[in-house]
């Protein structure tokens, strides 16, 4: 397919030594030639593919030199988009990179829409949809581990698995088809049910497993939403600071001064935490503090992990007990802080309240216990084998939603088989599951969905 030639700045906006302006399309080379002057008169259109050339970008209208550049020439189909691609490595900085971009546009390219390069890769058959989406995740990946998940997905792990499941369903459907077409054999219905059950159950099981990993996948991509709670002055801000290793939240001696909800990303041994410091969830008369409290309550409900901080130098109070009640059933780590001071807290009582939660002692002032806390966090979330790199995680909410719908269809099919419902009804559910799985890898997706998906990319991808 031949599309028009698009261009965009492919490196992040802002100051940098080098920035890249990328062109893709049938005219990429001729447009580049119209604005590029090398030391010899050699045209880019004539040079071998996958080579780099030194020269200058020159305004085609007034001959003004815009920038000194290195130009990479990559001829299709062995490129990201499968089209001819030219990458102009120019000097970084908003002004210079923008003038190069403007010159390329003067030369005849069109400014790309967000994600349009990747969309081309998809439309030209270079990537399937889940791989293209993995590119989005790759751009957004917040830690190395999240990056790994995105990379594996890009390599087509998820696609392979989905294809296999679809193949299984298809074979099952074919089997049903045969039996519907040849109903003259005796017992066909009964036999079909018996044959179908293990096949459908297997797909059901695989889907279940995939959906289960999706929770971990989501965590890896977006960060584990983590809320620090505790009475005023127990050391919540100090904890946040220790974890972040920089002093963004204000630490003071006055109780209740952490008034705003502040978010920070930290990487704790491969677990990305989205930390939310809070004003505590204690009822208060102070209106400013209460705004913080209301917001904390909301955050609490959404949290994946709660760090509940207690003061070792103070007796447990009713407020502390209420905090335990407020987080019942969630993933909680109890932190006994200020262990450098004389211990006043009743640990037997703490253990009763804490039930099965891990308990870690810290002196944030003396920077003690942080290691143990990090260990507790990572073991809480990597215990289930999440560490193994070769697992396929589903980390994209569109995939999760489609998998869940496909699972419902398969559940229906299995139930129907079990209760002896006529086989053509089972066939409908199986077909639906097959179609839904197809949507994950981009078979039979609507044009509008594709546009919406690719618009999520940053410009230049
Ligand atoms: P928050 O109100 O829960 O956010 O508590 P802060 O982090 O603001 O800490 C309140 C006070 O306790 C500050 O003066 C901190 O320096 C102090 N603090 C925090 N952690 C410790 C600790 O482990 N030992 C001692 N002695 N003081 C601490």
């Amino acid at each position: 397919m031949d599309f028009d030639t698009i261009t965009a700045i492919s490196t992040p906006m802002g100051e940098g030594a080098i920035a890249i302006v990328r062109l893709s399309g049938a005219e990429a080379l001729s447009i580049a030639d119209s604005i590029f002057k090398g030391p010899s008169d050699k045209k880019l259109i004539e040079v071998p593919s996958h080579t780099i050339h030194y020269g200058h970008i020159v305004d085609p209208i007034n001959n003004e030199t815009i920038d000194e550049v290195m130009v990479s020439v990559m001829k299709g189909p062995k490129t990201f988009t499968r089209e001819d691609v030219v990458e102009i490595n120019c000097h970084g900085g908003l002004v210079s990179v923008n003038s190069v971009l403007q010159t390329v546009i003067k030369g005849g390219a069109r400014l790309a829409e967000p994600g349009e390069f990747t969309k081309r890769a998809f439309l030209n058959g270079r990537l399937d949809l889940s791989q293209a989406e993995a590119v989005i995740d790759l751009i957004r990946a917040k830690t190395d581990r999240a990056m790994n998940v995105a990379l594996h997905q890009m390599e087509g792990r998820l696609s392979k698995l989905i294809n296999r499941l679809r193949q299984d369903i298809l074979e099952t459907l074919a089997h049903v088809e045969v039996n519907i077409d040849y109903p003259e054999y005796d017992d066909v219905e009964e036999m079909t049910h018996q044959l179908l059950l293990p096949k459908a159950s297997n797909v059901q099981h695989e889907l279940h497993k995939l959906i289960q990993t999706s929770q971990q996948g989501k965590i890896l991509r977006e960060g584990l939403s983590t809320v620090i709670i505790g009475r005023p002055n127990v050391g919540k801000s100090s904890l946040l600071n220790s974890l972040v290793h920089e002093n963004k939240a204000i630490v003071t001696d006055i109780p209740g001064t952490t008034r705003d909800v502040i978010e920070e990303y930290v990487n704790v041994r491969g677990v990305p935490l989205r930390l939310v410091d809070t004003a505590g969830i204690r009822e208060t008369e102070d209106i400013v503090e209460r705004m913080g409290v209301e917001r904390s309550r909301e955050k609490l409900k959404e949290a994946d992990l709660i760090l509940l901080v207690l003061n070792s130098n103070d007796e447990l109070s009713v407020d502390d007990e209420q905090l335990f009640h407020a987080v019942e059933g969630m993933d909680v780590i109890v932190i006994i802080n200020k262990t450098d001071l004389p211990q006043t807290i009743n640990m037997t009582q703490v253990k009763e309240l804490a039930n099965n939660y891990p308990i870690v002692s810290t002196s944030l002032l003396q920077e003690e216990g942080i290691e143990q806390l990090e260990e507790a966090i990572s073991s809480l979330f990597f215990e289930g084998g999440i560490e193994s790199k070769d697992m396929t995680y589903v980390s994209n909410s569109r995939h999760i939603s489609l998998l869940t719908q496909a699972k419902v269809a398969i559940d229906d099919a299995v139930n129907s088989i079990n209760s002896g419902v006529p086989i053509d009804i089972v066939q409908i559910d199986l077909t639906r599951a097959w179609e839904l799985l197809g949507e994950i890898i981009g078979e039979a997706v609507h044009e509008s969905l594709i546009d919406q998906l690719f618009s999520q990319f940053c410009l230049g991808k």
Side-chain angles (χ1 to χ4, degrees):
M1 242 185 285
D2 261 3
F3 300 105
D4 59 347
T5 298
I6 50 173
T7 184
I9 301 169
S10 291
T11 36
M13 287 298 172
E15 293 298 319
I18 288 172
I20 295 175
V21 173
R22 176 149 71 172
L23 290 93
S24 177
E27 303 293 317
L29 288 164
S30 56
I31 292 172
D33 266 329
S34 73
I35 57 165
F36 175 80
K37 294 269 173 302
S40 67
D41 277 344
K42 196 186 263 177
K43 290 278 159 201
L44 294 172
I45 211 155
E46 293 157 3
V47 302
S49 184
H50 293 77
T51 53
I52 299 187
H53 305 272
Y54 169 82
H56 290 88
I57 295 297
V58 176
D59 189 313
I61 295 164
N62 59 19
N63 257 338
E64 187 193 337
T65 300
I66 306 291
D67 200 1
E68 187 186 20
V69 295
M70 298 289 286
V71 174
S72 318
V73 172
M74 289 159 283
K75 296 180 184 169
K78 283 193 173 164
T79 65
F80 179 60
T81 55
R82 285 204 165 155
E83 303 171 333
D84 287 351
V85 170
V86 174
E87 287 184 357
I88 304 172
N89 292 253
C90 53
H91 286 104
L94 278 183
V95 179
S96 69
V97 66
N98 261 317
S99 3
V100 171
L101 179 70
Q102 291 311 324
T103 313
V104 173
I105 291 171
K106 270 190 210 168
R110 169 172 66 76
L111 186 66
E113 286 163 22
E116 204 173 356
F117 287 96
T118 313
K119 183 178 177 179
R120 293 238 168 138
F122 168 70
L123 292 175
N124 291 327
R126 166 77 161 58
L127 299 173
D128 77 23
L129 205 51
S130 75
Q131 290 172 317
E133 284 169 299
V135 178
I136 308 184
D137 289 343
L138 198 62
I139 298 164
R140 294 187 183 156
K142 295 209 168 56
T143 73
D144 292 351
R145 213 180 283 266
M147 185 111 134
N148 251 319
V149 173
L151 271 174
H152 280 156
Q153 196 171 331
M154 212 154 84
E155 284 163 12
R157 299 182 72 85
L158 180 64
S159 321
K160 266 189 214 143
L161 197 70
I162 297 288
N163 275 324
R164 212 192 67 217
L165 286 175
R166 291 188 88 214
Q167 191 58 34
D168 286 354
I169 298 176
L170 206 62
E171 279 166 18
T172 316
L173 278 171
H175 194 89
V176 173
E177 205 62 49
V178 169
N179 283 338
I180 289 177
D181 290 347
Y182 300 96
E184 61 271 22
Y185 296 117
D186 282 348
D187 303 339
V188 131
E189 188 95 322
E190 200 182 315
M191 216 184 72
T192 311
H193 277 110
Q194 274 172 14
L195 281 170
L196 277 189
L197 192 58
K199 286 182 199 267
S201 302
N202 182 46
V203 176
Q204 186 185 33
H205 178 67
E206 294 276 332
L207 280 178
H208 175 71
K209 271 202 320 209
L210 256 181
I211 293 168
Q212 268 199 328
T213 67
S214 71
Q215 192 53 27
Q216 292 167 332
K218 172 176 162 281
I219 288 163
L220 288 170
R221 203 162 51 101
E222 292 164 10
L224 210 62
S225 155
T226 306
V227 178
I228 302 173
I229 58 170
R231 279 192 287 145
N233 236 14
V234 294
K236 296 183 296 295
S237 315
S238 310
L239 175 61
L240 179 79
N241 288 343
S242 301
L243 288 170
V244 172
H245 295 303
E246 56 174 81
N247 300 313
K248 272 205 177 155
I250 314 149
V251 185
T252 69
D253 276 331
I254 311 153
T257 40
T258 319
R259 287 190 167 132
D260 225 344
V261 173
I262 307 161
E263 289 202 353
E264 286 285 356
Y265 279 94
V266 294
N267 179 354
V268 175
R269 304 185 185 194
V271 191
L273 298 189
R274 186 152 44 87
L275 281 166
V276 183
D277 193 9
T278 75
I281 58 164
R282 188 179 67 111
E283 290 299 339
T284 165
E285 295 303 313
D286 184 331
I287 193 80
V288 183
E289 189 170 273
R290 190 152 62 211
M291 278 174 59
V293 170
E294 282 302 315
R295 287 169 64 188
S296 304
R297 280 239 162 95
E298 279 170 34
K299 287 281 166 191
L300 198 58
K301 276 185 243 143
E302 298 163 10
D304 298 311
L305 172 67
I306 304 286
L307 302 178
L308 195 162
V309 189
L310 300 171
N311 184 350
S312 158
N313 185 231
D314 198 357
E315 283 169 27
L316 275 178
S317 72
V318 181
D319 288 340
D320 290 326
E321 284 180 34
Q322 278 181 354
L323 288 177
F324 275 101
H325 289 311
V327 298
E328 231 165 54
M330 303 180 72
D331 278 311
V332 182
I333 295 176
V334 180
I335 296 153
I336 315 283
N337 187 36
K338 308 203 186 184
T339 51
D340 54 294
L341 298 175
Q343 182 185 326
T344 326
I345 201 165
N346 179 340
M347 282 308 288
T348 318
Q349 225 181 327
V350 172
K351 278 176 191 148
E352 259 170 42
L353 281 170
N355 204 0
N356 288 326
Y357 304 145
I359 301 175
V360 179
S361 297
T362 59
S363 166
L364 294 169
L365 192 70
Q366 302 186 337
E367 297 180 6
E368 279 166 17
I370 317 276
E371 287 265 306
Q372 285 85 335
L373 174 61
E374 296 192 344
E375 187 57 45
I377 292 170
S378 92
S379 55
L380 202 57
F381 283 90
F382 284 140
E383 217 81 297
I386 195 172
E387 195 135 25
S388 94
K389 286 207 178 74
D390 56 7
M391 232 170 125
T392 305
Y393 303 114
V394 188
S395 61
N396 178 293
S397 46
R398 192 183 70 88
H399 297 167
I400 295 171
S401 146
L402 286 167
L403 282 173
T404 312
Q405 293 175 56
K407 169 80 166 32
V408 171
I410 284 287
D411 287 347
D412 287 348
V414 170
N415 289 339
S416 302
I417 296 169
N418 278 328
S419 49
V421 168
I423 221 72
D424 42 355
I425 307 278
V426 178
Q427 192 183 19
I428 294 173
D429 289 326
L430 289 174
T431 310
R432 174 146 179 76
W434 185 77
E435 284 170 354
L436 285 163
L437 292 177
E439 278 188 45
I440 294 179
I441 49 176
E443 286 187 16
V445 277
H446 303 291
E447 193 67 26
S448 59
L449 171 68
I450 294 178
D451 285 342
Q452 189 226 323
L453 267 173
F454 285 102
S455 67
Q456 288 180 48
F457 284 84
C458 357
L459 209 65
K461 270 287 163 192

